[in-house]
Amino acid sequence: MDSMALQDRARAMRVDIVKMIAEAGSGHPGGSLSCIDILTALYFGGVMKHDPANPADDTRDRFILAKGHAAPALYAALAHAGYFPHDELMTLRKLGTRLQGHPDCHLVPGVEVSTGSLGQGLSVAAGLACGLRLNSNDARVFTVLGDGECEEGQVWEAAMFAAHQKLGNLIAIVDSNGLQIDGPVQEVVQDGSLADKFKAFGWSVSEVDGHDIPALIEHLSALKQQGGQVPHAVIAHTVKGKGVSFMENQVGWHGKAPNAEQLATALAELQA
């Protein structure tokens, strides 16, 4: 898929995100929109090995959405990839749906692990990476965390474990949009430089524009190929609510559905 097609795919998934959250009347648009270019690179840019026709293929790369409240982004990516019918997206959060507010691995094909309790995803990803290595399986494990999520202590326990176990098959991508539900990340808890913290815990660390899909593909593919004995952290600098002007960099759109008028404005921008 060329760069223009990838941009179009990301735009289409942004449309799906705002439409499904509006239809549900609840959800998390801000952090879903900020990470969708990362998911585009992973699922459609040739970075991850995955097969919608065989989600349990043992040679597949694993993906863990640690920031599980961004489930609309993951659902959009999985639907566009062919894991389930696209029209099912509009059942988000409705009674009886597979598409719950946080992803459920027992219901949705392509979801490796049920997530939602922030801070736990990196631990799961590290455990998967360790298990793959023990089984001499060359698959990689990718996980996307939120920068606010990195205030959780369990993240750093997992970081210590991954470095100690020399998990070069683990790539953690931080969706660093600078905002969390209570406000700017640096004002809620002064966490300083995430890059410096991961370096201190023994990880290789790099930074990238989280909305530059070709750069993401090039960078993540290189890390996947590199492997080695050091886990990799990628700080992806993003904009919360990216693509919808009135949502961008607005903490109030962390977990709020657009009304009909706001949806129309968002769709007009995204489909322009």
Side-chain angles (χ1 to χ4, degrees), residues 3 6 16 22 37 43 51 64 97 102 116 119 121 138 176 181 200 202-203 206 231 262:
S3 179
L6 289 165
D16 287 334
D37 296 313
Y43 280 92
D51 181 4
I64 308 299
T97 183
H102 295 83
D138 290 332
S176 185
I181 191 170
W203 289 54
S206 52
Q262 291 165 333

Side-chain angles (χ1 to χ4, degrees), residues 19-144:
K19 287 175 68 176
M20 72 174 96
I21 292 174
E23 177 70 19
S26 65
H28 296 82
S32 297
L33 293 168
S34 68
C35 72
I36 199 64
D37 296 313
I38 299 169
L39 298 190
T40 300
L42 290 172
Y43 280 92
F44 304 100
V47 176
M48 285 201 320
K49 179 180 181 182
H50 67 105
D51 181 4
N54 185 15
D57 176 15
D58 196 46
T59 67
R60 73 191 184 282
D61 292 324
R62 275 65 166 175
F63 175 76
I64 308 299
L65 182 67
K67 45 176 282 180
H69 56 279
L74 179 57
Y75 295 153
L78 292 175
H80 277 259
Y83 283 87
F84 57 83
H86 181 267
D87 59 6
E88 193 173 339
L89 290 175
M90 292 306 114
T91 71
L92 175 72
R93 290 182 172 232
K94 293 185 177 180
L95 186 64
T97 183
R98 294 191 290 180
L99 307 185
Q100 300 181 15
H102 295 83
D104 187 330
C105 64
H106 300 292
L107 297 177
V108 184
V111 174
E112 297 284 350
V113 176
S114 302
T115 55
S117 295
L118 293 178
Q120 297 180 4
L122 186 58
S123 293
V124 175
L128 283 172
C130 192
L132 288 169
R133 190 184 62 187
L134 288 171
N135 287 329
S136 300
N137 188 324
D138 290 332
R140 302 293 192 254
V141 180
F142 294 86
T143 182
V144 169

Side-chain angles (χ1 to χ4, degrees), residues 80-243:
H80 277 259
Y83 283 87
F84 57 83
H86 181 267
D87 59 6
E88 193 173 339
L89 290 175
M90 292 306 114
T91 71
L92 175 72
R93 290 182 172 232
K94 293 185 177 180
L95 186 64
T97 183
R98 294 191 290 180
L99 307 185
Q100 300 181 15
H102 295 83
D104 187 330
C105 64
H106 300 292
L107 297 177
V108 184
V111 174
E112 297 284 350
V113 176
S114 302
T115 55
S117 295
L118 293 178
Q120 297 180 4
L122 186 58
S123 293
V124 175
L128 283 172
C130 192
L132 288 169
R133 190 184 62 187
L134 288 171
N135 287 329
S136 300
N137 188 324
D138 290 332
R140 302 293 192 254
V141 180
F142 294 86
T143 182
V144 169
L145 302 88
D147 48 358
E149 180 181 5
C150 290
E151 296 165 5
E152 299 280 356
Q154 187 172 338
V155 169
W156 303 105
E157 294 180 61
M160 282 190 289
F161 173 84
H164 181 73
Q165 294 294 330
K166 300 181 172 58
L167 299 180
N169 57 344
L170 173 60
I171 301 170
I173 307 162
V174 180
D175 177 20
S176 185
N177 60 40
L179 294 174
Q180 60 190 91
I181 191 170
D182 292 324
V185 172
Q186 293 293 340
E187 293 180 13
V188 176
V189 173
Q190 293 287 336
D191 63 357
S193 167
L194 281 174
D196 288 345
K197 283 183 169 59
F198 275 103
K199 287 177 185 176
F201 278 82
W203 289 54
S204 80
V205 181
S206 52
E207 302 188 49
V208 67
D209 180 345
H211 299 304
D212 186 335
I213 297 173
L216 285 162
I217 293 170
E218 180 179 4
H219 190 64
L220 295 172
S221 297
L223 291 177
K224 176 180 174 178
Q225 182 67 29
Q226 178 180 332
Q229 295 189 326
V230 177
H232 310 285
V234 178
I235 312 301
H237 297 284
T238 61
V239 174
K240 194 148 191 168
K242 177 68 173 178

